[in-house]
């Protein structure tokens, strides 16, 4: 039997809080990019000069999936709020 979905709770966010959240968002894209670069290196993806790492869409998708899977693991372990589960489950790559 599926769990009952909680209705959204009314909330307000200050401008400073919103700007800070944007910093975290920007940090997550940095993590995905670095992970994508590592994946590209592991898959020997370089430009013709053999020095420049060639990050492709597939590398970014793999990196994004890994980040989302880590978040899901934290959710299953009860280490993130229940509302985060809805947000992560709605994330697709």
């Amino acid at each position: 039997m599926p769990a009952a979905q909680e209705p959204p709770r009314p909330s307000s966010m200050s401008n400073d809080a919103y700007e800070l959240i944007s910093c975290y968002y920007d940090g997550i894209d940095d993590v995905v990019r670095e992970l994508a670069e590592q994946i590209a290196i592991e898959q020997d993806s370089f430009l013709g000069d053999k020095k420049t790492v060639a990050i492709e869409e597939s590398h970014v998708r793999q990196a994004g999936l890994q980040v989302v899977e880590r978040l899901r693991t934290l959710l299953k372990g009860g280490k993130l709020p229940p509302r985060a589960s809805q947000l992560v489950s709605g994330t697709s790559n």
Side-chain angles (χ1 to χ4, degrees):
M1 178 197 289
Q5 188 172 359
E6 292 183 29
R9 181 176 300 149
S11 64
S12 171
M13 185 179 296
S14 69
N15 287 336
D16 290 341
Y18 184 79
E19 287 180 26
L20 185 57
I21 282 181
S22 295
C23 291
Y24 284 106
Y25 173 80
D26 290 342
I28 290 173
D29 68 347
D30 291 339
V31 170
V32 171
R33 190 214 180 279
E34 288 180 27
L35 189 52
E37 183 175 323
Q38 289 177 3
I39 292 168
I41 291 169
E42 289 169 4
Q43 295 180 0
D44 200 31
S45 180
F46 292 90
L47 295 181
D49 65 8
K50 301 294 183 195
K51 295 178 184 177
T52 306
V53 179
I55 302 170
E56 302 293 341
E57 181 181 351
S58 63
H59 304 133
V60 175
R61 285 188 184 279
Q62 289 175 47
L65 280 172
Q66 287 184 27
V67 169
V68 169
E69 285 304 314
R70 298 297 190 290
L71 287 171
R72 287 185 178 137
T73 299
L74 290 172
L75 285 166
K76 287 178 186 174
K79 299 188 191 262
L80 292 177
R83 174 71 178 122
S85 176
Q86 296 167 347
L87 299 173
V88 171
S89 65
T91 303
S92 64
N93 292 14

